[in-house]
Amino acid sequence: MAGGRRFEGPSDVHLHSVHSDGTESAAQVMAAAHSRGLRTVALTDHDTTSGWAEAAEAATSLGMTFLPGMELSARNDWRSVHLLAYLFDPDDPGLRAEMERIRDDRAGRAERIVRSIGRDYPLTWDDVVEQTGDGATIGRPHIADALVARGIVRSRSEAFDTILHPREGYYEGHYAPDVEKAVRLVVAAGGVPVVAHPTPSGRARMMAIPLLEELVGLGLAGFELDHRENTEQGKRVLRGLVEKLDLVVTGSSDYHGLGKPNVPGENTTSDEMVARIIALGTGSRPVYP
């Protein structure tokens, strides 16, 4: 950066607002981050940049640096892969078209799920829309919130453990690009791609090392290793790959307001790694206070 480093730590580069599946406005998310002592933050709503302006204004008014970001939906075979993307051009035609395709398919999928649930429970599409923020990518969390608002379940967690669990028969898949395409799109838009929570337990286990090495060749910058959902064994394996290939490592909260127990700043990213992300990104710039 010209003139030296202008951001301050601690840094949390994975936060969500009502523009996707969080429960707080972008400004409220920034305030929550600031109250926890954070000084550099990224808003990474799913498949949308609609919260950037509000978040940037709120963050800088509090003396924080704002990093434009997003969590892009992707897929590897049956695995759902979430790709954090930083400092990309939000108007890049290729990436923008893919984001719109993902959001459109999510909306159609959500409507189909709600119709199915509505045959057995008093739930309508209007109930879900009422739980969705402007510009948000409609998804199952909004259906869960509608089920809570209707009094059908007591919490978002209960909704996912019961009615929205695949065993109940209401689940439907949704479109997402393969992870190779997703990485290419982010890089082409001048962005910095980082795999979110890459070593989860259970069926959604981490991608194979040869594929991860291929993704690095396509421009993948690194991995979000410090995240509550990662397994210790998986983190050990990926730290070896990080050292071998000199990759970026991030740590984040994945804050969703009341949607998850995660707390801003429970994991943070080092100043060195934030500086590397800023140096790599060419599609947009940090917004400084």
Side-chain angles (χ1 to χ4, degrees):
M1 269 174 288
R5 185 179 298 163
R6 294 174 56 197
F7 70 91
E8 295 181 14
S11 303
D12 187 339
V13 292
H14 188 171
L15 303 159
H16 293 270
S17 76
V18 294
H19 288 270
S20 66
D21 55 345
T23 62
E24 298 174 344
S25 70
Q28 288 172 324
V29 172
M30 297 301 103
H34 185 267
S35 71
R36 291 281 178 172
L38 294 163
R39 293 300 175 261
T40 296
V41 290
L43 188 70
T44 53
D45 283 318
H46 292 279
D47 310 308
T48 184
T49 62
S50 60
W52 280 11
E54 179 187 347
E57 181 179 0
T60 54
S61 71
L62 292 167
M64 297 190 299
T65 296
F66 175 71
L67 299 182
M70 177 178 68
E71 191 167 4
L72 182 65
S73 300
R75 192 167 297 281
N76 167 234
D77 295 330
W78 46 262
R79 297 177 185 85
S80 176
V81 178
H82 291 178
L83 192 69
L84 293 162
Y86 301 104
L87 301 170
F88 60 90
D89 178 2
D91 294 319
D92 177 82
L95 182 55
R96 188 168 185 170
E98 196 70 8
M99 291 160 57
E100 290 173 356
R101 181 178 179 185
I102 293 168
R103 291 199 303 268
D104 288 346
D105 189 76
R106 276 188 180 274
R109 172 219 197 191
E111 287 191 78
R112 294 190 296 273
I113 292 174
V114 171
R115 280 199 300 269
S116 295
I117 294 174
R119 298 187 187 106
D120 301 317
Y121 298 92
L123 185 74
T124 69
W125 181 244
D126 286 343
D127 294 330
V128 177
V129 172
E130 288 179 8
Q131 302 299 319
T132 306
D134 291 341
T137 302
I138 299 177
R140 293 195 303 151
H142 304 106
I143 300 174
D145 292 342
L147 289 167
V148 174
R150 273 288 205 167
I152 299 169
V153 296
R154 290 167 295 182
S155 66
R156 185 183 278 191
S157 295
E158 182 180 339
F160 277 102
D161 288 340
T162 57
I163 295 171
L164 291 177
H165 194 283
R167 67 171 173 265
E168 297 299 312
Y170 302 115
Y171 180 84
E172 292 202 24
H174 64 87
Y175 169 76
D178 64 61
V179 67
E180 296 94 335
K181 180 179 180 180
V183 168
R184 289 191 187 99
L185 285 169
V186 172
V187 172
V192 184
V194 172
V195 179
H197 36 74
T199 73
S201 60
R203 190 168 182 268
R205 57 191 179 274
M206 63 183 257
M207 292 177 280
I209 294 297
L211 173 59
L212 294 177
E213 292 177 331
E214 177 187 345
L215 295 178
V216 171
L218 295 175
L220 179 70
F223 306 105
E224 181 188 50
L225 291 190
D226 293 320
H227 185 288
R228 64 164 59 201
E229 294 179 10
N230 288 330
T231 63
E232 290 301 321
Q233 180 180 4
K235 287 194 290 185
R236 284 194 295 272
V237 171
L238 288 187
R239 288 193 190 281
L241 188 61
V242 163
E243 293 175 6
K244 174 184 174 183
L245 301 178
D246 189 27
L247 302 177
V248 168
V249 172
T250 67
S252 307
S253 64
D254 197 2
Y255 180 64
H256 282 70
L258 297 177
K260 288 185 177 182
N262 311 38
V263 176
E266 66 179 51
N267 294 295
T268 57
T269 301
S270 71
D271 287 359
E272 175 192 355
M273 293 300 171
V274 173
R276 287 181 63 175
I277 290 171
I278 292 173
L280 288 168
T282 61
S284 60
R285 300 304 301 163
V287 184
Y288 297 103

